[in-house]
Amino acid sequence: MVRVRLDLGAMEEWPRNLIAGFKEKLLQELPGLQEHGCCFGVAGGFVRRLEEGTWFGHIVEHVALELQFRAGHEVSRGKTRSVRGRVRTHAAIPSFVCH
């Protein structure tokens, strides 16, 4: 398992839909993210979350999943949760397959 601990600092208060052009730039660099179903279970679900204003820790989770997929691993799911007792800190746990 891979665990990424993120101290978001001031970024905790900024959902991505408040940053002009963020979604477009992210999808341009990683177009496969458009296929992520996220909690909706259908292609485009993650894009919908970006448009609604998802948080940076959640985005890191999906970027990690996409990079693993590009490396040839069959991954499909991860989790992002706040770290108990650590303000503005999140743990992103993208699934990982070892062969």
Side-chain angles (χ1 to χ4, degrees):
M1 170 177 36
V2 174
R3 178 179 293 212
V4 179
R5 186 169 281 193
L6 305 164
D7 182 346
L8 300 176
M11 292 179 72
E12 171 72 9
E13 304 301 322
W14 285 85
R16 299 311 99 185
N17 64 334
L18 297 179
I19 299 176
F22 181 85
K23 177 190 78 169
E24 292 76 17
K25 290 176 187 172
L26 181 65
L27 295 176
Q28 180 180 354
E29 295 299 321
L30 294 170
L33 291 173
Q34 297 177 66
E35 299 302 316
H36 289 216
C38 202
C39 61
F40 299 105
V42 295
F46 179 62
V47 173
R48 181 173 165 187
R49 290 291 308 271
L50 286 171
E51 291 167 347
E52 292 173 350
T54 196
W55 303 99
F56 191 67
H58 182 225
I59 294 167
V60 169
E61 171 196 329
H62 278 272
V63 168
L65 287 168
E66 182 61 22
L67 293 176
Q68 290 176 80
F69 178 76
R70 285 180 165 205
H73 298 284
E74 293 183 28
V75 295
S76 62
R77 190 158 186 218
K79 289 281 183 196
T80 302
R81 298 287 183 253
S82 60
V83 175
R84 189 179 324 178
R86 304 264 326 249
V87 177
R88 299 184 308 267
T89 302
H90 296 264
I93 306 170
S95 61
F96 189 81
V97 177
C98 294
H99 296 283

